[in-house]
Amino acid sequence: ARRWEQRQRRKPSHHQQQLCKQATRAIEAAILCDCADPVFDRLGPCRVTPKGRGNELLVTFEIGDTDPGTLEELRVRLEAVRGLPRSAVAGAIHRKRVPGLRIQVVPGAA
């Protein structure tokens, strides 16, 4: 059990870091540039981190506005274009399987 705990605390591997960078660029291009919805202009840059064994990525957008209504509106709009970021990641990476994406919007210093 101890060896498993040590593996869980390790920093992401080089391949996971590379995947996260590729996913970040693809998602930012898809959401912030290609999507014509002006609501997304309020989003800051995204941060992508591996979740689990790398078969899922956590995509975090920070927004400077801490109004709960604004956060909820962005969550609803991102849910409406849910396939867009995943398609962008699929086109940008060279893997047999595209990792799942969990997208969240959090208040921060965007």
Side-chain angles (χ1 to χ4, degrees):
R2 182 174 221 157
R3 184 178 285 179
W4 182 81
E5 290 171 2
Q6 289 173 346
R7 274 190 247 151
Q8 295 298 3
R9 286 185 286 216
R10 286 186 199 163
K11 68 179 187 175
S13 72
H14 169 72
H15 292 285
Q16 286 177 325
Q17 290 175 345
Q18 183 181 26
L19 173 64
C20 289
K21 285 180 186 178
Q22 290 172 337
T24 299
R25 286 191 294 266
I27 291 168
E28 284 182 342
I31 298 263
L32 302 177
C33 299
D34 296 343
C35 203
D37 195 335
V39 172
F40 295 142
D41 292 342
R42 295 185 235 165
L43 290 173
C46 74
R47 184 176 65 243
V48 178
T49 53
K51 189 167 173 62
R53 294 182 169 203
N55 57 352
E56 191 171 36
L57 299 175
L58 178 63
V59 181
T60 305
F61 286 98
E62 288 188 0
I63 181 171
D65 190 351
T66 58
D67 176 41
T70 303
L71 288 173
E72 188 57 33
E73 180 183 9
L74 282 167
R75 286 185 187 114
V76 168
R77 296 284 178 98
L78 284 168
E79 185 64 32
V81 295
R82 182 178 187 89
L84 185 65
R86 190 148 194 259
S87 295
V89 171
I93 66 171
H94 303 288
R95 292 205 170 190
K96 187 174 183 178
R97 292 186 178 93
V98 178
L101 301 178
R102 297 194 81 176
I103 299 176
Q104 66 180 3
V105 180
V106 296

